[in-house]
Amino acid sequence: MVTPAPEPPGIRLSFIQQRFDEGTAKANITVMNYSGRQLPVRSVGLDWAGYPGPLQRRPYLVPTGFTIDLRYWLPRPDCRSDAFATAPVGVVTTATGTIRRRIDAEGLRFLRRIWKLDCNQRLLRRSVRLEYAGPWRTVRSDGEPALLGSLVLTRRSGHTPIALTDIQGSPIFELALGHPRTLDARRHRVGVPLVVSSGHRCDPHSRGQVTTPFTFRLWATIGGEPVTVIAVPAPPVQVRMLAFLDRACAGQ
């Protein structure tokens, strides 16, 4: 049996976003209390140019020896800033003062990825409206049932060419894009064919344990610049996809 090394004494702060919160403003400030005393937290936040905003009230008594994730709602990002010119700092206030610590390496990886994804999504949304649309119909793809619809890009501003390059499904859905995939400078709207299939993941464990069934990742270019976004379908489309999955799995 291996005994883990003891944690160094003190208070450390980190940042995390759970997988089921991807694509939302929900995140967490992680408080690691190895100070030898209880830590009566009043508020938490970030001191960082990428996510400027006030501290958020989160009263919680963190016992010594515990690591606790406290909810932190991401403020509107400043995507024009040189965000990582200075190191992000986590902040905790208590009844007796303020604790400031640099976000550790693991938290910094989360923060970099989430900030970039957030800015990408805002850039894409300023340029186009993206929606999953019908008419939906059941087809055969590689001999298996599939749901055929489209991803519709409707221009909101500018004339910059926008192209979809790839899409990734989830543990229970496989997605594939057809052609055309580009909204060129002369067009206002384009529908990109979208094929949805079960990916042969019909076992009860896969379906029962999945926490992110609709967290679909989309790769695109805006004026040639690559961006990655999370594109979650609207609730009525989710219902349609689940109904298709029920029928597809029942036929296996």
Side-chain angles (χ1 to χ4, degrees), residues 64-247:
T64 186
F66 279 70
T67 295
I68 302 294
D69 292 332
L70 298 179
R71 174 65 74 204
Y72 177 68
W73 291 92
L74 295 171
R76 183 183 181 89
D78 184 350
C79 299
R80 299 169 298 177
S81 68
D82 185 5
F84 292 94
T86 57
V89 173
V91 183
V92 165
T93 65
T94 70
T96 58
T98 301
I99 299 167
R100 297 169 55 87
R101 299 285 188 272
R102 282 193 176 190
I103 296 296
D104 66 8
E106 183 176 359
L108 188 57
R109 285 194 294 271
F110 275 103
L111 199 53
R112 284 182 182 274
R113 179 171 57 83
I114 292 163
W115 179 80
K116 184 64 175 176
L117 182 66
D118 202 347
C119 289
N120 281 346
Q121 295 193 153
R122 291 173 185 274
L123 174 61
L124 189 64
R125 286 170 185 161
R126 286 196 301 270
S127 304
V128 297
R129 182 172 72 250
L130 176 68
E131 59 183 334
Y132 295 82
W136 299 97
R137 56 193 180 93
T138 303
V139 297
R140 306 291 292 185
S141 177
D142 296 328
E144 300 293 333
L147 186 64
L148 178 63
S150 61
L151 268 175
V152 177
L153 303 179
T154 305
R155 191 177 295 280
R156 281 179 164 158
S157 64
H159 301 281
T160 303
I162 298 169
L164 305 186
T165 56
D166 201 1
I167 194 168
Q168 182 184 67
S170 71
I172 58 173
F173 289 108
E174 284 190 1
L175 305 184
L177 296 174
H179 293 275
R181 298 185 183 181
T182 301
L183 181 65
D184 60 37
R186 299 167 296 174
R187 305 180 73 176
H188 174 71
R189 188 173 186 270
V190 65
V192 181
L194 175 70
V195 178
V196 182
S197 60
S198 68
H200 304 287
R201 299 301 301 275
C202 289
D203 57 284
H205 177 77
S206 296
R207 297 192 61 182
Q209 299 299 317
V210 64
T211 58
T212 55
F214 300 105
T215 304
F216 303 149
R217 198 170 298 268
L218 182 67
W219 287 265
T221 59
I222 302 177
E225 291 294 320
V227 299
T228 305
V229 300
I230 289 174
V232 178
V237 178
Q238 295 181 19
V239 171
R240 185 180 292 273
M241 288 183 176
L242 287 173
F244 157 75
L245 188 65
D246 287 340
R247 294 192 302 271

